[in-house]
Amino acid sequence: MMAIVAMFITASANAQAVTNKQPTIHRSVKTMYPTKDWVVADYVVTDPKFGAKARAGFDNRAAFQAAIDAAYNNGGGVVYIPAGNYEFRSTQAGTRNVRVRKGTEEVRKDFEYQYVLNLPTSVQLRGDWADPELHQGKVLGTILEVRVGKDAPNYNGTVESWWNDAQAGNALRTTHTSIADRFINMNPGTGVTNLSIWYPEQDIDNVKPYPWTLYQPDGDCVTMERVTLVNSYNGFYSAPSELHYVLNSYITALNTGVEVHICTDIGRIENVKISPRYWAHSGLPGSPSLAKVAGYTKANGTGFNMHRSDWEYVSKLYVNDYKTGMWVGREPGYFDTPNAQFYEIHIKNCDTGIFVQAVNPYGLLISNSTFETEKNGKAVYFYDDFKTSVQFNGVDFTGPIVSDGSDGVISFENCTFNSPNEYALKINKGNVLLTQSAFKGPAGHVWLGQDVSTLKSVNSGYNGKLDIKNDSRSAKVEIKSGKEYVFAPIPKNVVTDIKVHPRPASDKVLRVDLPRVTGFNNEQPTEDVSALLQAALNNMKAAGGGTVYLPGGRYLVNNPIKIPSGVELRGTWDVQHHTQNGGVGLFTTYAGGAAGEKGPSLIQLAAGAGIRGLTIAQLNIATDGATAENPRKTPFLIQGQGQNVYIVNITSIGDKGLDLASFNSSGHYVDYFAGVLARAGIWVGGGAKFGFIRNMQLNPHYGSRLPQGGQGYPRVSLSRFLQSNCSALKFADIKNQTIFNNFVYGSFYGLHFLKDAITGKYPGEMTVIGHGSDGCSYSLFVEDADQNTKLIAINSELVCTRTAEPVRSYILMGGEANTGKVHRDAQLILYNTAFWGSPTIGAIINNGTVRFQQANFQRSGAPGIDNRGGKVHVYSSYFAQKMTGEATGNNVYTKLHAANISTELTNNAYISGYSESNTQAGKIYGTDIAPDKK
């Protein structure tokens, strides 16, 4: 097996690599099993210079590490492992320096651990993987056999430690730092993809602990994709970390499948299945029966274990036959807890579906999910430490929900309950909201223990009747029903990813060695390769299409290039990455020429063209007359100029990111576009249909955290500028768009909807799932909308922080009161939302219709809902901010200004009791309003 090596020029670490040879077109690495992209790799472990062997008894540790180190020392890239079984029989020793205390004195101490492979920054391990669910469960292709670490005493070792939490004003925290042994140590900016890992010496009749299989010790951007963990004891571990991504993988873990600690920027878990069947059905020697594996995991195992995570995105997680499907709670040693968005979580045959120990005030959002337990189990359990907010929307429960939580609000909207042997809801303490939810039988719906505070229900029960056994001392119970409270439930079966991942039709690969700078230094390239790169792209087009591959290094591209149809420009990254992870960088000082920001984009994508796996950096974004306070205006870095363009694993520093609005880019696919952009992130319009925008990740730290040695990247801090000038994600004339799990920190507008500048049309119907706007002045802004506009958002976290702007709100529906730019019948519907931060006003409604279908207003602003010209409906929501002083003026949860508008408040909870400011008697209505105020 040979990697694609068309031509290779050896250059010193500091030199510009130059070639005069005519490049040769080769084919991508041939695999036995299908891949979503073409495999491009400069390093193959079985190359004689590395010496790996798929042979029984051979220890591959040294050979694999040699290939990994070669990739790292040459600018990063993919290390490919052909199909076969590769044994590992020895370990290496590492040390972790931990901040400990000796009395009152702070000291640091080294602790030793064992590991087999170490992945340094910018390196990815990739194999040849067969999806077991397409091969009757069989584990085929590249298999790493771990024959070391059995019964290791340090398999999950921790040490008490101290750290300063930057998210909390550098407060001193006590915690327990992991010093555990591990199979693969994954440093920041690494990936393990397309392979299986197996422990042949594990015995289900005499289970022994092994170290963690994949281990992220710290830092950002670690990816596990298309991996089968056949029979790990502990699977994937991440702490403290940011931006981990576990996707499209299968796990049998005898103890813990996935565990997360102290994640301070969005972690993602997507389409992961944790089940005993992957070992049982593997077809590997010694694989036990499904009954035996399930018997062990149901007695001992946890599928997903989440401690503190500041905003975890978990979607399409499947766990079956474990003792605990999911566990959510505090960090060991102190009280920091997580918040998260859970979408399509499916837990089955677990003793406890989800165990909620504690959650931070921003809460959990759980939508379109199922929790099914066996007899005598619990679908959901709330521990005594719970006292904040958990919201279930469109969730089906089989088995009881039991709460011993000390306070807080648990809310259910559009849920179903089936608990034939005991009460479906057994609430010992706290508050419950039930809205438009159904029970499968006529009795045994709700039991209230003596310390319950509130139960409010609207249109819930069995055939309109709710059966309650009230053993509380003083619970406030309100039961309402009526056709006037019926609303459309949360949409189901929303598509979140494309069926066939885009790639060139041809597997041809042109590896071009253009002048570039390499090495762990701070040098920038000086020779513009634009013409050479354009020639290579044109050559590939002439050859029938394929991939133009750039090896690791920094390239200067100072003139626009156009990627032709059927051609992909590709760097060394198969996975998402941060600026500080290095790899391929395209550097530029291009600012549009004489036309300035109206000039052509630097990278132009013809129809069917793509760009993948590299970083683009505007070197002069804040130099040569520009500053962080007034960054340089440039055109968009990338522009789609036709249909079916794709942008995958691209990181950027610049003024404007991705333009999909100037042309009709129907069928576009964007996945993990990341970085810091001063004025615009991704703008979409032009009449595009059936596009995908997934996993956008914008954060100012992409401009302030640089790779080892600097590597020539510009260091720029744009936080303040972004919050007053950037429109991160803008949508105009589009239809049938998938908008999934995107996040922006620091923007004037987080999500922005407006009239299309090209077609003149308004936004149509679209559904946004899992969006996060943090550190924004306005988290969601609808500037323009007509009567056909229908915007649906599911599992949104919309956050305003203290910016320089005098007015800040989560929702701005229209720019001014009674604006004609937003039609009265335009709709914005938010299902399952968390609002928090520092808004001056929670939501400003200037026109149109807005529905809040379940929201946690952790900070409501004053007023919380400010209706100046539209129609508002608020259901199943928790106003958690205490209002002190007299309830007048703006110091209220809801305010209504003018005639011909209205606000409905139905089945909500208010920590300080309901309060309003109303100029129109009778126009604030709903079940929350006392009869004398209706």
Side-chain angles (χ1 to χ4, degrees), residues 97-328:
N97 187 258
V98 180
R99 180 180 174 186
V100 299
R101 285 195 175 208
K102 191 173 184 179
T104 58
E105 179 186 5
E106 289 187 11
V107 298
R108 301 196 72 91
K109 184 178 178 180
D110 286 338
F111 293 87
E112 186 174 290
Y113 60 86
Q114 298 294 312
Y115 66 96
V116 177
L117 297 175
N118 179 57
L119 282 184
T121 297
S122 75
V123 179
Q124 304 126 78
L125 274 182
R126 176 170 185 161
D128 187 353
W129 180 74
D131 186 332
E133 296 203 337
L134 300 179
H135 293 84
Q136 296 78 49
K138 298 294 187 294
V139 173
L140 306 167
T142 300
I143 302 173
L144 308 187
E145 297 187 14
V146 186
R147 296 179 177 269
V148 65
K150 186 176 184 178
D151 212 11
N154 190 37
Y155 73 93
N156 197 22
T158 62
V159 60
E160 189 177 41
S161 60
W162 280 259
W163 65 294
N164 291 99
D165 186 354
Q167 301 287 329
N170 285 324
L172 186 65
R173 304 294 198 195
T174 304
T175 187
H176 291 80
T177 296
S178 175
I179 54 168
D181 296 345
R182 66 225 50 178
F183 173 50
I184 300 180
N185 190 56
M186 301 182 70
N187 287 288
T190 57
V192 174
T193 73
N194 295 277
L195 53 80
S196 301
I197 302 174
W198 173 43
Y199 294 79
E201 297 172 10
Q202 184 63 276
D203 181 358
I204 195 62
D205 294 319
N206 186 23
V207 170
K208 298 296 183 183
Y210 279 81
W212 288 93
T213 302
L214 301 178
Y215 186 99
Q216 179 184 8
D218 53 31
D220 56 52
C221 297
V222 158
T223 300
M224 166 183 162
E225 180 178 8
R226 292 165 64 93
V227 170
T228 303
L229 301 184
V230 179
N231 60 344
S232 296
Y233 187 76
N234 289 321
F236 176 87
Y237 180 93
S238 177
S241 69
E242 296 181 339
L243 305 172
H244 56 261
Y245 194 12
V246 181
L247 72 155
N248 299 334
S249 293
Y250 304 99
I251 300 172
T252 294
L254 299 175
N255 187 56
T256 303
V258 176
E259 184 163 313
V260 173
H261 294 262
I262 314 177
C263 177
T264 51
D265 198 355
I266 308 299
R268 290 172 168 87
I269 313 290
E270 180 185 356
N271 195 31
V272 174
K273 298 183 179 181
I274 303 174
S275 168
R277 69 179 178 270
Y278 299 112
W279 186 15
H281 295 164
S282 67
L284 294 171
S287 56
S289 68
L290 178 59
K292 278 195 170 185
V293 187
Y296 188 89
T297 55
K298 288 170 79 169
N300 300 280
T302 299
F304 177 48
N305 199 346
M306 186 176 74
H307 296 264
R308 172 185 167 181
S309 179
D310 301 350
W311 219 323
E312 190 84 10
Y313 286 179
V314 186
S315 54
K316 296 191 176 180
L317 173 67
Y318 302 80
V319 183
N320 69 273
D321 294 293
Y322 275 74
K323 183 177 181 179
T324 304
M326 301 174 65
W327 184 97
V328 178

Side-chain angles (χ1 to χ4, degrees), residues 620-638:
N620 56 348
I621 185 68
T623 62
D624 302 329
T627 65
E629 293 73 32
N630 186 22
R632 186 175 308 283
K633 293 182 179 180
T634 76
F636 281 85
L637 291 172
I638 304 173

